[in-house]
Structures are given as C-alpha cells and as structure tokens.
Amino acid sequence: MGSVSAMVSTRFWCSVSGKAAGWTGALAGLGWRVSPRRSVSSSPPRRQGSMSAWVIHRYGTNEVLEYTEDMTSPAVSHPGDVMVQVHAASLNPLDVSMRGGYGATLLKLRKDPLSVMGADGEFPVILGRDVSGVVVECGSGVTHFAPGDEVWAAVPPWKQGSLAEFVTLSEYEVSHKPKLLSHAEAASVPYVANTSLSALVNAGGLCRESSSDKRVLIIGGSGGVGTFSIQLLKAWGAHVTVTCSQNAAGLVRGLGADEVVDYTAGDESAQLDGVERFDVILDGVGGATEEWAMGVLKPWSGAKYVTLVTPFLLNTDAAGVLQGTVQAGCTLQRKALQNMMTNGRFYRWGFYAPDGPALDEVSALVDAGKILPVVEARFPFRQVPQAFQKLEAGHARGKTVVMVADENERQAEELAQDGGAESASSEKEAQQTVEQN
C-alpha cells in the first residue's frame, strides 16, 4: 500500500487539509487548488438540440420521476465549460433525498439568488451526481480537455445532474477517467471520492503523510463512501475498523478493513469496549451513533469525530436560509464546545465538495490498483425508477450504476436481473486485489 501512496502529491493531500470544511465553502466552488494539466485546443461550437433525460417537476417519491426525450441539451455558455456525453451515471442516497426536496431552499438560492423568494424556475430537475463519459465540446477558455477525452466527475447538487445524455460542468469539476476502468465502474467513484476526501482531509485532518500511525473507525462501511474510504485509508497506511452487517463483512475485509464490528450482533459500543481508542471516526449513519461514538475516541489527544449526517440543509429547508444557517451553526458550536471542554475531542461536520484535481489523484491510485470500484448493481437507462428502488431498499454493498449510453443498455439489463451476482463478484474482486497487493 505504501509504495503506491507515494504517487499521490504531498502538496495536494496536505494543502487540502488546511482548508475549512463546510457547506458554504462547497457552494462557493472557489479556492480549491488547481493541478497543472496539459493544454489542448477547444472544439468548435456544437449545435443545440434536445436530449433524453429523467426529470422531476415536483418533489416526492418514485412516481415523480419522468422520462423525456425533449429536454433541452445543456449549453457551453462560459469559456471554462466542458460538455460531456454521459456513458454511465450512478445513484447516491443524496439523489433520493433531493427527489423529496432535501436542500431545495439553499440549492435554489445557489442556482439563482434572485429567485429564492419565488416559486418559478426551480423545475425541471435532473438528478444524478456521478458521471463517466466523453467530452463532446469545450469552451474557448478550456485548456485541460479536448473533445474525445474520457472523463469522470461529481456533479454539484446545484447543477443539472447526470441522468441525461449530456451534462455541462466546469473544467475544474472534471478529471480524466482512470484508464483501467470501464465507464460503468468509473461512474461509481467520483461523488463518494470527493465526499470521503472532504470529510477525512478537511474535517478529519488526515493526509497521506500523517495517517500511518492513525486508528480510524468508519461507521457504516459497506456503502459507497465507506468502501472508498477503507481503500483510501489503507493506501495511506492507517489502521481501519468498520461497522457493518455480518453479511457485508467479507466485502469490507476484502477491501482492506483490519477489524469488523457487526452492528446486528448487539451494542456496537460494547463490542468496541475492549479495543484501543480511535484517532478519527467517520460516521455515515448519524442519529444514535453520536451518543456512543464520541466515547471510543482517544481523549485529550486531538481525536476527531466527523459526521456526514448533519441538520444543516434540513434546518434551511424548514426555517429558511438565514434562520436555518444560524440554527445549524449554533448546534455545531454547542456540540463542538461541549466535547472539547469535557474530553478534548473535536466534533466536526463533513460535507461533499466537487473537486476535479482531487479526482486526478484518485485516478492515479485507481490505475495503480489501490482503489477498486465496488458496483453492486447496474440498470439500463430506461430502468432509472427501478434503480432508485434498489437504492432505497438499503443495505448497500457498493454503488448502483445506470448505463446511459445505448451500447451499454443490453449489458445493463442483463446485470439488473442479478444484483446479487454483481455484489458477490465485487467481494471476490476486492479480496483478490488485496491478496495481490
């Protein structure tokens, strides 16, 4: 693991750790380090037209998903824009939440500050945060990509998503796809990679050079963020303990987890009572876990608890942007001060932050065989509602992928008939990768 981690830029991993974590910084989309990349010429303008997409015109459950072939294709309207033909996308729990209106108030403000008080202009919405595809058009100021480049990216929540034929992003939200991955495999990584890095580096204070002597606990380790974080932390040399159900133990061990706690076997805190305390906890479950998780951190040693389940967007949805932000800030400050004063432990919130240069570094780890995509199920584009149902069923063992490009439809339909076989295959590949490295 250590030999490959040397491939990752020290300046990147450790400079990022100095940035402040927070949804406000993520929304700003500014101030992230830009990695040098090759210069290429931009493409001639592409004629606008219609595209196929899955859209919602109101918030709700699965019945609000609508397929259309008349969605206007996204435009390359700024010099730094890159238009990508989507080959594959994947779903995240955030997509289910956004379908129900989660974060709508703040995201609407980010899209159009002048329309936040009105009801118009919010719809239609295209969901989907992950994309892998091919560049078809570049703005005049793009220097890092050219038409024909295979790329991957995490689409910011305030932009139209990847459950469509095309998506337009900033060049600094896009990265060249790992050469060893298919589009279906690549689409499973970007959102969880950016989320994990933001939480572990920004909020958790970890980086490649500081992790070799650290003990990390991942609560909820069999989902997308968990399976990626296990592999990243092992590439950095950390000791990783994971909580998951018993039938996911083989998967997380195959990805490198040193110890596994079965949350279905009883009180997790009791099972962890006899083990050495942790330096960092990454909590993807939230709720009651906060009550016991702080107790398994090392006291008075700079240990950090980072949760991905925060009340920030719920507060802004319920009370408005200003009051909701104040409420969330007060909650964070109260919990942070309480834990710092009583046991010297840090309490922090982790947020997703789109970052193309970070994906450049992840791509190097993937092509070196240190990050393995974990795909549980694949669905053809016409079965997006079924893909949402799969995700909502819970007990994830990796990611649910949607094959958007036509050439992938038949393969996706076959794989959708046997999600269990896909999951078993991922476990086997994970175990083989660990054994080989």
Side-chain angles (χ1 to χ4, degrees):
M1 293 286 185
S3 62
V4 173
S5 64
M7 299 177 61
V8 183
S9 166
T10 301
R11 180 176 58 169
F12 169 77
W13 294 122
C14 293
S15 67
V16 171
S17 65
K19 299 186 177 119
W23 185 258
T24 303
L27 291 179
L30 299 173
W32 290 82
R33 188 187 67 81
V34 177
S35 297
R37 314 189 197 192
R38 65 185 178 88
S39 296
V40 294
S41 60
S42 62
S43 63
R46 178 179 175 273
R47 200 168 87 183
Q48 296 298 305
S50 297
M51 67 175 182
S52 299
W54 283 89
V55 303
I56 62 172
H57 292 277
R58 67 188 192 281
Y59 297 120
T61 53
N62 222 23
E63 75 276 0
V64 303
L65 293 167
E66 299 179 19
Y67 176 78
T68 179
E69 295 182 350
D70 298 320
M71 186 69 183
T72 302
S73 296
V76 174
S77 55
H78 298 94
D81 283 349
V82 175
M83 182 186 290
V84 178
Q85 180 183 16
V86 181
H87 281 231
S90 74
L91 300 182
N92 297 278
L94 178 63
D95 293 303
V96 176
S97 298
M98 288 180 64
R99 187 196 62 192
Y102 174 72
T105 300
L106 193 59
L107 295 178
K108 185 178 180 182
L109 175 64
R110 177 58 177 81
K111 292 175 185 177
D112 184 2
L114 298 179
S115 69
V116 69
M117 301 304 295
D120 298 329
E122 189 172 358
F123 298 105
V125 173
I126 303 174
L127 301 172
R129 298 303 104 204
D130 286 303
V131 59
S132 180
V134 176
V135 175
V136 294
E137 184 178 348
C138 297
S140 60
V142 173
T143 59
H144 307 148
F145 302 94
D149 285 354
E150 293 190 330
V151 296
W152 63 349
V155 183
W158 54 90
K159 292 188 176 182
Q160 294 287 36
S162 56
L163 294 177
E165 287 187 274
F166 300 97
V167 64
T168 295
L169 299 165
S170 158
E171 64 177 324
Y172 294 114
E173 294 164 347
V174 178
S175 169
H176 288 95
K177 180 181 75 68
K179 297 179 178 63
L180 294 183
L181 298 187
S182 67
H183 285 294
E185 293 168 328
S188 70
V189 176
Y191 177 82
V192 297
N194 280 162
T195 301
S196 300
L197 285 166
S198 178
L200 293 171
V201 178
N202 293 3
L206 297 174
C207 68
R208 176 177 63 88
E209 294 191 332
S210 69
S211 300
S212 60
D213 61 343
K214 295 296 189 295
R215 291 177 54 82
V216 182
L217 171 64
I218 300 175
I219 301 175
S222 63
V225 172
T227 54
F228 179 87
S229 297
I230 292 168
Q231 297 178 85
L232 178 67
L233 289 166
K234 292 308 299 179
W236 286 351
H239 181 282
V240 180
T241 300
V242 171
T243 73
C244 64
S245 64
Q246 191 276 333
N247 59 10
L251 171 63
V252 298
R253 286 191 185 279
L255 295 172
D258 298 288
E259 298 179 61
V260 179
V261 174
D262 176 13
Y263 70 81
T264 66
D267 186 354
E268 292 151 285
S269 60
Q271 296 182 64
L272 290 166
D273 197 37
V275 304
E276 185 181 343
R277 305 294 85 177
F278 297 96
D279 298 285
V280 176
I281 293 176
L282 178 61
D283 184 1
V285 176
T289 59
E290 283 194 17
E291 299 176 7
W292 60 262
M294 299 299 298
V296 298
L297 281 172
K298 295 177 180 177
W300 305 107
S301 62
K304 301 174 183 68
Y305 167 84
V306 181
T307 180
L308 297 174
V309 185
T310 79
F312 181 53
L313 291 182
L314 291 175
N315 285 358
T316 57
D317 287 338
V321 174
L322 180 58
Q323 185 177 348
T325 300
V326 171
Q327 289 176 352
C330 290
T331 298
L332 176 59
Q333 183 181 46
R334 174 177 56 81
K335 292 186 176 183
L337 285 174
Q338 179 182 3
N339 283 284
M340 177 55 64
M341 296 295 291
T342 57
N343 49 46
R345 296 161 177 150
F346 291 93
Y347 176 94
R348 293 179 175 176
W349 289 351
F351 295 99
Y352 154 75
D355 191 345
L359 291 177
D360 289 345
E361 308 294 344
V362 174
S363 183
L365 287 173
V366 170
D367 281 335
K370 299 304 178 182
I371 300 290
L372 177 73
V374 183
V375 178
E376 182 176 14
R378 309 184 197 187
F379 290 82
F381 192 42
R382 60 181 173 273
Q383 292 186 11
V384 164
Q386 291 90 325
F388 269 86
Q389 290 173 352
K390 170 69 179 68
L391 182 63
E392 289 182 275
H395 306 291
R397 304 292 179 264
K399 296 294 292 290
T400 296
V401 171
V402 174
M403 319 281 267
V404 178
D406 290 341
E407 61 265 27
N408 291 323
E409 286 274 311
R410 182 176 300 127
Q411 179 189 9
E413 189 168 26
E414 293 171 355
L415 288 168
Q417 297 172 3
D418 190 4
E422 180 77 18
S423 180
S425 175
S426 295
E427 281 196 32
K428 184 176 180 181
E429 290 176 7
Q431 184 62 49
Q432 290 174 343
T433 297
V434 171
E435 291 173 354
Q436 292 169 1
N437 292 281

